[in-house]
Amino acid sequence: MTILKTTTTLLKCFCLLHQVHVHLYEFTQTRGESMLPTLSAQNDFVHVLKHKKLIHTVGGPRGLRIGDCIVLMKPHDSSQRVCKRITGLPGDIIEVDPSYDNDFDNSFIRVPKGHVWVTGDNLSYSLDSRSYSVVPMGLIIGKVVAANDFNKKWYQRDSITNKINFLGYRKIDNNYTDCK
Amino acid sequence: MFSRATIRPFLLAITWIPVLMTAREFVHVSQIKGKSMRPTLNPNDNSTDWVLVKLFRPRHRERNDIILFRAPSDPNVIYCKRIKGLSNDALYLDHKDMVANNKSQLTLVPNGHLWVEGDNTHSVDSRSFGPISDGLVLGKVLCVIWPPERWGTNLNRWVGRDILAPDTDAESN
């Protein structure tokens, strides 16, 4: 009887954890150079919020906005996940690659309904919407809100604010400003 | 007012909710709305079909499987269509008569994408929004479970139009 009770309790705990992991929150490692100033190339762990309202709606106080850092599945390989920043919402007109100098090579596209335009922060070393075009919002897995950098010491005193910072924790803000 | 003995079963029931939600990730019952999969699903207007869906992500997909996936135009809408082409397949977009007259165009499904079509000609599918990414797929329809007179329906009796181009064409393309 006690074995049965322990098993059911373990099962319930495991399922609860699994549900939180699937629907609410995830803590995962990121790799790669594409988000370099924001996230380091290795040993960087991100806190991802995965609630449906956060990632499948646009605008509003909680939905997707320009400048949000998101985790999404690669459109051409659903087993791989990438971390990018939203730079275009449905209805926006996007210049595909502003780094071209002449106007002839440039093309502008309008992001269709239910799609987003994503780019990495390290534009010169990032495979993103400039090569695979717009991404459907159904591929978005979660929104990155904070990160822990395990390259740093496990605690560090900030020289400016004089606060102790554990495990390189920092918030990843939406620092987008509209310069109208 | 609420004695300990009355609250306890409710609390016990609540602890089982995550287990049920996890079980729902393997198989799930879902209602089919609309007539885009006619005549396979929802054959008439009198009743709607409830189907058993395997949500657990299968790694391999096959042609003529009926799948549920998130609509590319709206992530909160879920479509039910039939896979007509896997990645790197060459497909005819138009009818066979056009093909015979060399008027049809071949299209190549990109890597990691699927070409989905409804069995009904009047359906919003890859013919309007193009191939869908494999990551949008939620699950595969296994069988019809409601209404009871449609138990044991063969879902592959009518598989839509035949659009797969022969391999020789795919290579020359």
Side-chain angles (χ1 to χ4, degrees), chain A residues 8 11-12 15-16 18-19 22-23 52 55-57 73-79 113-115 136-139, chain B residues 8 12 15-16 18-19 21-23 25 57 59 61 70-76 110-113 133-136:
Chain A
T8 43
L11 180 74
K12 284 174 189 171
C15 289
L16 186 68
H18 176 73
Q19 287 305 313
V22 166
H23 294 293
K52 216 172 76 179
I55 56 171
H56 287 164
T57 55
M73 286 183 249
K74 239 182 194 178
H76 292 275
D77 185 359
S78 56
S79 58
K113 192 173 161 260
H115 290 66
M137 270 160 62
L139 291 180
Chain B
R8 197 176 152 77
L12 259 177
T15 57
W16 279 101
V19 183
M21 285 169 78
T22 312
E25 283 174 26
R57 293 175 64 94
R59 274 286 142 234
R61 321 216 178 273
R70 290 187 191 281
S73 55
D74 186 353
N76 299 311
N111 200 12
H113 283 62
S133 174
D134 189 66
L136 293 172

Side-chain angles (χ1 to χ4, degrees), chain A residues 56-69:
Chain A
H56 287 164
T57 55
V58 173
R62 310 204 303 155
L64 295 174
R65 286 181 300 156
I66 287 190
D68 279 345
C69 212

